[in-house]
C-alpha cells in the first residue's frame, strides 16, 4: 500500500473518531442532568474502574496501556464538561466568585495604599512593597499573624509577605494563614535576593563567631555559613538581625541582610552576595481580605488535599491536561497529624477570562478531598 493511501485511511479514521468524540461529549449534558436529578457526584469511581477494566480486557495486548490512557483522558474531559454544565448559573461556585471579583479595565492595581509588612525598615518585605506599590504607606508588624490581623481589622488595606523561595521552597506559615483567614492573593512579585554579611565598622570576617538572620536566609546561605565556621541564630527577619547587630556591644556578631540595611543601621558589608545560589529569588504576595482580580491576571494559586489512595494525584493532573491548563508550580507538604498524607500547592498559568479555568475550579471538588482558592492575579517580574 502506498504512503498516500495509508494516510488517506488514517484521515478517514480520524474523521470518524472526531465525530464520535463530539457525540460522546454531547452526551455529557444528558449525564449531568441525570446526576443532578439524583444528586449523584460527577466522579463515580466504581463506574470508572469497571469501564477501564473492560477497556483493558478488550484492547489488543500490545495496545493495552495506550487504550487505558486514552479512555482515562476521555472520561476526564467528560467529567469536566459535566461539572461545567452543573455549575452554570450557580452563584456559590468558585468561578462565580472569580467573576464577581474581576475589576474593570478602568480600575488598575492601586499605586498607593496602606500596606502591612512583617519586620522593620530595610526588610525584604518592605523592599518588595516599595516595588509593588508606587507610594505605599507601610506599617510594620513583628509576625506574619500580625500582618494578617492588621488587614483583617481594617488597619491596612493590604499585606505583603514572602510565600516562596527558589532555594528554600514555600513559606508554609503564610499558606496556613491564608487558609485560616480566608484571604486572597491579589498580586505577586519575583524579587532577586542577595544576602550580605553585615558587621560593625572595623570588623573583619575573621572576627565573626555568630551570625543572625531569618531562618529562610540562613537556609539560603547554609553552605557559606558552614564554610566560614560560625554559629547561626534565627531572628524574626533579616532587618531585625541587622538592627540586633547594630545595638549589640559584641564585635564578633554579624547579620545576613540586604544592602539597604547596611546604610540604615550603620553597618559595613564585610562579604557581599553570600547566598549559596546566585539564582536566589523570593516570591512576595499582596494579600487582601476580599477577592480582587485586576486586569491582566493570569496566575491562579490553589491548595488541594487529596485522598490517600492510588491515582488521587493523577486524577487531578489529568484534569489539568484535559483542559489544556499550564501548571507552573506543584509542591507537596505533609498534612500534620496524618501519616504519609500530603496537601499540594498548585499555581496555574491561565488567563482569568478563559472558560477552561472556570471549568477547572468548579470541578476540582470532584477529584480531591478539599481545595482552597487563593486568588487570581498578575505576577510582576
Amino acid at each position: 500500500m502506498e504512503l498516500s493511501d495509508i494516510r488517506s485511511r488514517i484521515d478517514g479514521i480520524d474523521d470518524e473518531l472526531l465525530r464520535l468524540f463530539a457525540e460522546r461529549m454531547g452526551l455529557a449534558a444528558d449525564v449531568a442532568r441525570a446526576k443532578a436529578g439524583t444528586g449523584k457526584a460527577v466522579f463515580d469511581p466504581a463506574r470508572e474502574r469497571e469501564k477501564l477494566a473492560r477497556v483493558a480486557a478488550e484492547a489488543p495486548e500490545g495496545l493495552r496501556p495506550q487504550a487505558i490512557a486514552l479512555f482515562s483522558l476521555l472520561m476526564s474531559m467528560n467529567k469536566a464538561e459535566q461539572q461545567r454544565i452543573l455549575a452554570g448559573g450557580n452563584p456559590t461556585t468558585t468561578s462565580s466568585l472569580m467573576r464577581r471579583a474581576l475589576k474593570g479595565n478602568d480600575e488598575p492595581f492601586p499605586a498607593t495604599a496602606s500596606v502591612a509588612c512583617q519586620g522593620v525598615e530595610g526588610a525584604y518585605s518592605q523592599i518588595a512593597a516599595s516595588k509593588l506599590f508606587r507610594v505605599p504607606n507601610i506599617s510594620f508588624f513583628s509576625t506574619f499573624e500580625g500582618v494578617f490581623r492588621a488587614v483583617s481589622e481594617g488597619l491596612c488595606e493590604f499585606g505583603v509577605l514572602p510565600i516562596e523561595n527558589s532555594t528554600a521552597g514555600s513559606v508554609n506559615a503564610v499558606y496556613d494563614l491564608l487558609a485560616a483567614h480566608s484571604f486572597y492573593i491579589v498580586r505577586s512579585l519575583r524579587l532577586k535576593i542577595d544576602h550580605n554579611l553585615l558587621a560593625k565598622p572595623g570588623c573583619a570576617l575573621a572576627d565573626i563567631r555568630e551570625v543572625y538572620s531569618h531562618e529562610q536566609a540562613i537556609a539560603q546561605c547554609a553552605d557559606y555559613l558552614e564554610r566560614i565556621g560560625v554559629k547561626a541564630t534565627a531572628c524574626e527577619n533579616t532587618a531585625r538581625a541587622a538592627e540586633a547587630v547594630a545595638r549589640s556591644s559584641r564585635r564578633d556578631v554579624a547579620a545576613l541582610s540586604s544592602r539597604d540595611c547596611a546604610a540604615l543601621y550603620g553597618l559595613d558589608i564585610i562579604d557581599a552576595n553570600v547566598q549559596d545560589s546566585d539564582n536566589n529569588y523570593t516570591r512576595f504576595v499582596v494579600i487582601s481580605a476580599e477577592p480582587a482580580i485586576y486586569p491582566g491576571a493570569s496566575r491562579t494559586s490553589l491548595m488541594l488535599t487529596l485522598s490517600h489512595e492510588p491515582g488521587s494525584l493523577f486524577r487531578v493532573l489529568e484534569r489539568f491536561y484535559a483542559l489544556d491548563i499550564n501548571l507552573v508550580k506543584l509542591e507537596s507538604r505533609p498534612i500534620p497529624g496524618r501519616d504519609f498524607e500530603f496537601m499540594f500547592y498548585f499555581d496555574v498559568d491561565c488567563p482569568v477570562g478563559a472558560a477552561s479555568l472556570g471549568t477547572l475550579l468548579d470541578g476540582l471538588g470532584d477529584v480531591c478531598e478539599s481545595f482552597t482558592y487563593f486568588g487570581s492575579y498578575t505576577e510582576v517580574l
Side-chain angles (χ1 to χ4, degrees):
M1 186 181 295
E2 295 292 330
L3 180 58
S4 59
D5 295 330
I6 297 171
R7 286 176 171 170
S8 180
R9 288 191 62 185
I10 289 174
D11 288 344
I13 293 170
D14 287 347
D15 289 343
E16 184 64 9
L17 283 173
L18 182 59
R19 185 189 65 78
L20 292 170
F21 170 71
E23 184 178 344
R24 191 184 198 283
M25 291 298 291
L27 291 170
D30 296 330
V31 174
R33 281 191 289 270
K35 288 182 176 178
T38 61
K40 290 187 66 175
V42 168
F43 176 48
D44 185 344
R47 161 71 175 165
E48 289 205 8
R49 286 195 302 270
E50 177 187 332
K51 180 75 174 180
L52 291 177
R54 185 158 63 86
V55 168
E58 295 180 1
E61 186 173 348
L63 296 176
R64 193 166 293 158
Q66 297 94 321
I68 292 172
L70 172 62
F71 277 85
S72 293
L73 182 59
L74 282 171
M75 287 189 287
S76 183
M77 287 187 284
N78 194 272
K79 285 182 292 185
E81 180 66 6
Q82 290 179 48
Q83 290 285 5
R84 185 190 67 78
I85 294 167
L86 290 171
N90 185 347
T92 66
T93 61
T94 306
S95 66
S96 295
L97 179 150
M98 186 173 65
R99 285 191 293 272
R100 291 194 299 271
L102 282 170
K103 302 291 185 180
N105 289 330
D106 58 345
E107 194 173 353
F109 189 76
T112 63
S114 58
V115 181
C117 290
Q118 188 261 347
V120 294
E121 192 71 29
Y124 286 111
S125 291
Q126 175 260 307
I127 295 170
S130 297
K131 289 181 177 293
L132 285 158
F133 298 89
R134 180 173 295 178
V135 187
N137 178 15
I138 300 176
S139 299
F140 292 101
F141 299 86
S142 59
T143 63
F144 292 160
E145 172 63 40
V147 172
F148 276 86
R149 194 164 53 247
V151 177
S152 179
E153 294 174 0
L155 300 175
C156 296
E157 297 170 75
F158 302 103
V160 172
L161 291 163
I163 200 167
E164 179 185 5
N165 177 263
S166 57
T167 301
S170 293
V171 184
N172 292 324
V174 173
Y175 276 106
D176 290 343
L177 287 165
L178 276 167
H181 287 266
S182 299
F183 273 20
Y184 299 90
I185 299 171
V186 297
R187 198 78 157 183
S188 71
L189 169 73
R190 189 167 174 261
L191 182 69
K192 178 78 161 61
I193 302 295
D194 292 319
H195 294 303
N196 304 276
L197 196 65
L198 311 184
K200 287 180 175 293
C203 292
L205 182 60
D207 301 326
I208 306 304
R209 297 290 176 267
E210 186 173 5
V211 171
Y212 303 149
S213 199
H214 187 267
E215 59 184 0
Q216 287 271 341
I218 291 171
Q220 293 159 25
C221 303
D223 291 346
Y224 171 79
L225 294 173
E226 183 178 358
R227 189 165 64 251
I228 64 173
V230 297
K231 175 186 176 183
T233 300
C235 295
E236 292 174 7
N237 56 66
T238 56
R240 284 286 189 198
E243 184 181 49
V245 170
R247 290 181 176 180
S248 175
S249 60
R250 295 170 57 185
R251 297 186 63 78
D252 64 344
V253 293
L256 288 172
S257 194
S258 67
R259 284 183 174 271
D260 290 6
C261 283
L264 279 169
Y265 298 105
L267 301 174
D268 284 350
I269 299 174
I270 59 173
D271 208 353
N273 299 337
V274 300
Q275 61 277 1
D276 297 334
S277 170
D278 193 49
N279 188 35
N280 187 32
Y281 291 85
T282 294
R283 285 183 64 222
F284 289 85
V285 293
V286 180
I287 60 166
S288 170
E290 298 295 330
I293 303 174
Y294 293 94
S298 61
R299 187 161 184 148
T300 295
S301 292
L302 308 162
M303 183 171 69
L304 277 69
T305 302
L306 307 183
S307 57
H308 186 45
E309 61 182 37
S312 57
L313 179 58
F314 171 76
R315 284 196 296 272
V316 174
L317 296 178
E318 185 181 53
R319 188 63 59 85
F320 283 97
Y321 179 69
L323 291 168
D324 193 28
I325 291 177
N326 186 29
L327 187 63
V328 293
K329 175 182 176 176
L330 169 56
E331 185 175 338
S332 64
R333 172 194 172 193
I335 300 174
R338 294 169 61 176
D339 292 343
F340 305 108
E341 295 191 43
F342 297 84
M343 64 179 63
F344 295 84
Y345 304 137
F346 289 82
D347 281 358
V348 301
D349 179 24
C350 184
V352 167
S356 56
L357 180 61
T359 300
L360 173 74
L361 296 177
D362 291 342
L364 282 175
D366 196 55
V367 290
C368 66
E369 283 190 356
S370 62
F371 82 97
T372 304
Y373 169 67
F374 286 133
S376 301
Y377 51 93
T378 296
E379 178 152 301
V380 181
L381 301 178

